[in-house]
Amino acid sequence: MPNARATHLTRRGILAAGGVIGLGAALAACGDGDAKSGGPGQDTAAAKSGPWTFKDDRGQTAKADTVPSRIVAFTGAAAALHDYGVEVKGVFGPTRTKDGKPDVQAGGLDVNKVTVLGNEWGQFNIEKYAALQPDLLVSTMFDDAGTLWYVPEESKKKIEAVGAPGVGISVYDRQLTEPLARMLDLAKSLGGDVTAARVTQAKKRFEDAAARLRAAAKAKPGIKVLAGSASQDLFYVSGTNLSVDLEYFKALGVNFVEPPESAKKQGGGWFESLSWENVDKYPADIIMMDNRTSAIQPADISEATWKKLPAVKAGQVISRNPEPILSYDKCAPLLEQLAEALEKAKKVG
């Protein structure tokens, strides 16, 4: 983990959902702007008369004279809004990989049709942001202090001065279903068609996947699942008590490895850091590995201790996105994947 990023995490005491690499904490932004027609899916919303308001998870109410149409959002939030037919003008956060392809957090976004204000932690081009004349800023929140994810703290005043109201959707210490519902509410307020067949079908798929995962967990209560992430020097083991996905999976009955609170102190309560020599500290039958581009992927891990793990040798390693895109369409497959892994798993740990 780069030293600068590690310092951020220590100071803030947070690491998004297990940690793991290349993330830090952010701030809030607010204000208002002049509303005009936005991208696809926005014209109907922008044409609505009357004021627009939305009370976010900080308890703050964002206000505008008309429905915002020039939206700037954290990449994952933009991807979720896109699934509900609400398009954004600009994004910040992991959007493109080094080879120019869409980052995993971009979901179904066409990354070539949005202005990228910053692709990495600490990047947020304020000049480009102002040029978009934004009328809304949207992000998630990974702490209880109301800080917007991936908006640089040092740029807070300048970003606020641009004048767009801000909305924060919390993904801190709650189950996945809560921020999913909140993002749906936000999309609806912005003119998204949340009753469209694709949306109702995705929600039904999510509910079915939850039932399947509950049944799979009940059928194999002895199968132990470890949520991990890899960096060059360290292996991170996530606890379930702060992460929206893991808290929900646990509530459905999944049996997770739980590092003690004392071991998670340096990870802000999110995770325990292990040297590669100690990667076998916790027996596990299934390993869920961080699929974000900031983490080393399983196929690229060369450590001998990793390759000797029973779950690895048994091929019982699946992916995990510690920052789920908050739409039912993107979250249903996460449940289905874990359910399938449990259904097929053998006791090896």
Side-chain angles (χ1 to χ4, degrees):
M1 178 181 296
N3 291 335
R5 289 172 180 170
T7 300
H8 261 298
L9 298 174
T10 300
R11 186 176 77 242
R12 291 291 184 179
I14 62 171
L15 190 56
V20 254
I21 322 238
L23 298 175
L27 73 145
C30 61
D32 65 73
D34 174 36
K36 294 182 180 179
S37 179
Q42 295 287 307
D43 293 339
T44 300
K48 290 183 178 179
S49 60
W52 172 86
T53 63
F54 185 85
K55 187 174 182 179
D56 74 359
D57 291 340
R58 299 169 296 181
Q60 298 181 14
T61 300
K63 300 178 181 180
D65 292 337
T66 56
V67 176
S69 61
R70 296 191 305 281
I71 305 166
V72 173
F74 171 68
T75 303
L81 291 174
H82 167 82
D83 285 350
Y84 296 122
V86 178
E87 304 298 344
V88 306
K89 291 294 188 179
V91 296
F92 53 93
T95 307
R96 295 191 183 101
T97 59
K98 291 181 179 179
D99 58 4
K101 295 180 180 178
D103 189 273
V104 65
Q105 295 190 61
L109 280 178
D110 186 338
V111 298
N112 297 312
K113 291 185 177 180
V114 293
T115 298
V116 181
L117 305 179
N119 201 61
E120 298 178 5
W121 175 252
Q123 295 180 352
F124 193 108
N125 191 310
I126 298 173
E127 290 73 20
K128 286 185 178 180
Y129 177 61
L132 291 173
Q133 296 182 292
D135 50 17
L136 184 64
L137 179 68
V138 180
S139 191
T140 49
M141 300 185 297
F142 280 92
D143 63 16
D144 58 0
T147 53
L148 297 187
W149 193 237
Y150 259 83
V151 183
E153 183 179 9
E154 62 273 15
S155 304
K156 177 179 180 178
K157 291 184 179 179
K158 291 182 179 179
I159 293 170
E160 288 178 342
V162 173
V167 165
I169 302 296
S170 180
V171 289
Y172 177 76
D173 195 16
R174 61 200 62 204
Q175 294 182 23
L176 181 59
T177 47
E178 185 174 343
L180 271 172
R182 293 291 286 144
M183 188 63 77
L184 185 75
D185 289 342
L186 176 60
K188 181 179 180 180
S189 80
L190 294 170
D193 186 358
V194 300
T195 62
R198 67 180 185 280
V199 176
T200 56
Q201 290 167 5
K203 192 170 188 295
K204 177 63 163 56
R205 179 183 174 187
F206 178 88
E207 293 166 348
D208 289 346
R212 178 184 175 186
L213 180 54
R214 187 188 296 276
K218 184 177 181 179
K220 294 188 176 179
I223 296 295
K224 203 79 171 178
V225 181
L226 182 149
S229 182
S231 72
Q232 183 175 352
D233 299 318
L234 295 170
F235 183 82
Y236 305 92
V237 180
S238 296
T240 63
N241 63 328
L242 296 177
S243 303
V244 290
D245 60 332
L246 301 185
E247 282 201 15
Y248 184 52
F249 299 158
K250 183 179 180 180
L252 292 174
V254 178
N255 185 9
F256 280 99
V257 168
E258 294 282 4
E261 291 302 315
S262 59
K264 296 188 293 181
K265 277 189 176 180
Q266 287 188 333
W270 292 87
F271 62 93
E272 178 181 1
S273 303
L274 299 176
S275 66
W276 282 104
E277 289 76 14
N278 295 316
V279 73
D280 61 352
K281 179 178 180 179
Y282 298 108
D285 305 296
I286 296 173
I287 300 177
M288 302 176 68
M289 288 295 289
D290 185 346
N291 70 350
R292 292 173 296 180
T293 52
S294 53
I296 298 176
Q297 298 306 301
D300 299 320
I301 299 175
S302 58
E303 301 289 342
T305 49
W306 163 261
K307 295 180 179 180
K308 292 179 181 178
L309 292 177
V312 175
K313 293 173 68 175
Q316 295 181 172
V317 178
I318 63 174
S319 65
R320 173 198 173 214
N321 188 345
E323 298 182 60
I325 294 171
L326 298 174
S327 73
Y328 293 103
D329 180 72
K330 295 301 182 293
C331 286
L334 307 181
L335 277 69
E336 292 168 345
Q337 177 187 227
L338 181 53
E340 182 178 7
L342 282 170
E343 291 163 355
K344 296 180 177 178
K346 297 179 180 179
K347 186 68 181 174
V348 296

